[in-house]
Amino acid sequence: MRALKILTIFSVLLGIVCASLTALEGERHQRPMILAAYYIWYHDGEDESQRWSMWTRLKLNNQPNDLAQAGEPELAGTARPLIGLYSSADPVVAEWHVQLAQAAGIDAFLVSWWDDFKGRNTNFEHGILPAAEKHGFKIALLDERAQFHDTLENYQRKLASALKKYHESPAYLKIDDRPVVYLYQVATNPGLTAAEFPQLKKFVEGEVGPVYWIVDKIAHDAKGQRDFGEAQEKTIPADWRSVPGIDAFSFYSTFSNFRADRHEQLIGKYRYLTKQAHDVGRKMMLPVHPGHDNSRFSKTPYVMPRRDGDTLRDYLRAATDAHADFILLTSWNEWPETTVIEPSSSWPDPYLYLRIIAEWKGLAFTEPPLPAPAKTKQP
């Protein structure tokens, strides 16, 4: 009889464990969509008009940097790409990026868009767009012209023109059957006002049809901080929360708004901001970072420690615990600020951060082969 009771208890406990594992596995497969900020502004040494563009900066601090190889400039970032200093127009490199993202479970790239500034539209059309189409991956515009433009009239025409050109591509990301656009903004001096957004929306949608609008919008709230503490020191401005036609709010980074690299520093703010968005019927996209280091070129540098991947793990956990609808991974390859997860030869495991994302998504990460041209660039 005693043996039967023990067997019964063991069976019950086993059932509980199995149910818990099943629930955990289901939760992993229901993770929010993760979109990575992807930059197409790089030129290699063969581009005579923009030689090494964005790999270096005109003014760098006098700090030791042994990352550059023979014939290369001093690098702006504090890590080196595994495949060397590439051109964003290289379709082989872009295909490798897509294959890496797919292996890690990243759902899409939000591609930094500047229209024809410094040939970046050419890089988009020669590199990441055909690579995404070839491999069944998704991309959308991370519209930096929302912040950096002259007149609203000129800007909205450029955005409408780009969307007309790209949104019917099978690679273009759609949510609720609408092409996605992320409007980038700087918190302290935004380039687009809440009063201007309805005009932008009306014009663009008049040209291309309904759009899924994600607006980068965060501000400091001194009163909220004073009355309720640090969890409410940042807010989605009230004038933007009341604007109709916005589908989701987001913000590009914590490091330009507040300092944090641990779950306990993030979770209060992340829950509060998500609640603000949800309370007005909008979705919330929260940023996650592996680290940050702009010490090579900034007069006021900030280093967010990577902690062997624990910083990214804490960000992912905080965004998940805050019930984010989407996650903005910043970044795939912003090398000057060293916020990258793209494989780097500067790390003991070049693929560490892709493995962390894959684990969070419940996937087993297997790296694709290095692109053939890159193998010749290794020391």
Side-chain angles (χ1 to χ4, degrees):
M1 180 65 70
R2 182 180 179 186
L4 181 59
K5 287 182 178 179
I6 293 173
L7 182 60
T8 301
I9 293 171
F10 177 78
S11 298
V12 171
L13 291 174
L14 181 61
I16 292 172
V17 170
C18 290
S20 298
L21 291 174
T22 300
L24 177 60
E25 187 66 19
E27 179 183 337
R28 282 178 174 170
H29 287 294
Q30 295 174 10
R31 297 297 197 196
M33 182 182 290
I34 183 166
L35 300 89
Y38 184 88
Y39 290 88
I40 53 170
W41 54 28
Y42 298 108
H43 296 263
D44 61 20
E46 297 178 6
D47 188 333
E48 294 298 332
S49 65
Q50 297 185 60
R51 188 174 170 84
W52 304 119
S53 179
M54 293 306 294
W55 290 114
T56 189
R57 292 286 177 95
L58 293 177
K59 295 182 180 180
L60 294 171
N61 295 332
N62 294 320
Q63 296 185 20
N65 189 319
D66 58 359
L67 299 174
Q69 297 180 7
E72 296 177 351
E74 288 188 81
L75 302 189
T78 59
R80 179 182 177 83
L82 179 63
I83 59 169
L85 310 189
Y86 53 80
S87 166
S88 295
D90 187 337
V92 177
V93 170
E95 284 191 39
W96 184 64
H97 287 168
V98 165
Q99 291 172 311
L100 284 167
Q102 289 174 317
I106 292 170
D107 296 287
F109 284 152
L110 287 179
V111 182
S112 173
W113 178 74
W114 291 83
D115 193 50
D116 60 357
F117 180 68
K118 292 190 175 181
R120 292 172 188 175
N121 59 332
T122 301
N123 287 357
F124 180 88
E125 293 170 10
H126 289 187
I128 194 60
L129 178 61
E133 290 176 341
K134 180 176 179 179
H135 292 278
F137 192 60
K138 298 298 182 183
I139 60 173
L141 299 184
L142 191 162
D143 175 12
E144 304 213 40
R145 285 296 195 193
Q147 174 66 31
F148 305 106
H149 61 265
D150 48 9
T151 67
L152 178 62
E153 288 72 24
N154 287 339
Y155 159 56
Q156 65 190 17
R157 281 196 296 268
K158 289 182 177 182
L159 177 55
S161 177
L163 276 179
K164 287 175 73 172
K165 193 172 186 179
Y166 304 131
H167 84 282
E168 292 185 353
S169 164
Y172 202 95
L173 176 66
K174 294 181 174 63
I175 297 176
D176 296 340
D177 207 31
R178 291 176 283 153
V180 172
V181 173
Y182 182 104
L183 301 181
Y184 174 74
Q185 296 277 270
V186 173
T188 54
N189 187 25
L192 186 71
T193 68
E196 290 173 326
F197 175 78
Q199 179 182 331
L200 172 68
K201 173 182 166 66
K202 181 179 179 180
F203 182 89
V204 172
E205 293 189 347
E207 296 289 316
V208 301
V211 172
Y212 193 95
W213 298 97
I214 303 176
V215 176
D216 186 320
K217 191 51 56 184
I218 189 173
H220 186 69
D221 185 352
K223 185 177 185 303
Q225 182 180 24
R226 183 179 66 249
D227 294 346
F228 302 104
E230 291 188 358
Q232 296 188 26
E233 69 172 325
K234 300 299 177 182
T235 185
I236 302 170
D239 58 342
W240 278 95
R241 278 181 276 150
S242 64
V243 173
I246 295 171
D247 296 284
F249 289 110
S250 184
F251 59 105
Y252 179 83
S253 70
T254 61
F255 46 78
S256 55
N257 293 287
F258 57 88
R259 303 301 191 230
D261 61 271
R262 297 173 186 272
H263 181 274
E264 61 268 23
Q265 298 168 322
L266 292 163
I267 188 59
K269 294 181 178 68
Y270 273 17
R271 283 176 172 157
Y272 177 64
L273 290 166
T274 300
K275 183 178 186 301
Q276 282 195 315
H278 288 174
D279 283 350
V280 292
R282 317 297 170 83
K283 304 289 188 182
M284 188 68 202
M285 175 186 283
L286 291 172
V288 302
H289 312 307
H292 178 278
D293 189 344
N294 62 355
S295 58
R296 284 282 298 141
F297 62 88
S298 176
K299 292 182 179 179
T300 55
Y302 169 58
V303 178
M304 178 191 293
R306 288 183 172 251
R307 300 189 294 126
D308 295 321
D310 282 344
T311 294
L312 179 57
R313 292 185 183 97
D314 273 6
Y315 266 96
L316 287 167
R317 186 159 64 95
T320 304
D321 290 349
H323 303 294
D325 302 285
F326 312 107
I327 287 176
L328 174 60
L329 174 60
T330 47
S331 66
W332 177 269
N333 62 340
E334 213 289 11
W335 288 96
E337 291 185 339
T338 326
T339 61
V340 300
I341 63 161
E342 180 188 342
S344 171
S345 57
S346 303
W347 309 325
D349 177 3
Y351 302 94
L352 172 62
Y353 301 96
L354 296 173
R355 297 187 202 282
I356 290 170
I357 294 166
E359 180 183 16
W360 178 75
K361 291 291 287 282
L363 302 173
F365 176 80
T366 301
E367 64 268 23
L370 286 171
K375 293 179 181 177
T376 64
K377 296 181 181 180
Q378 299 306 299

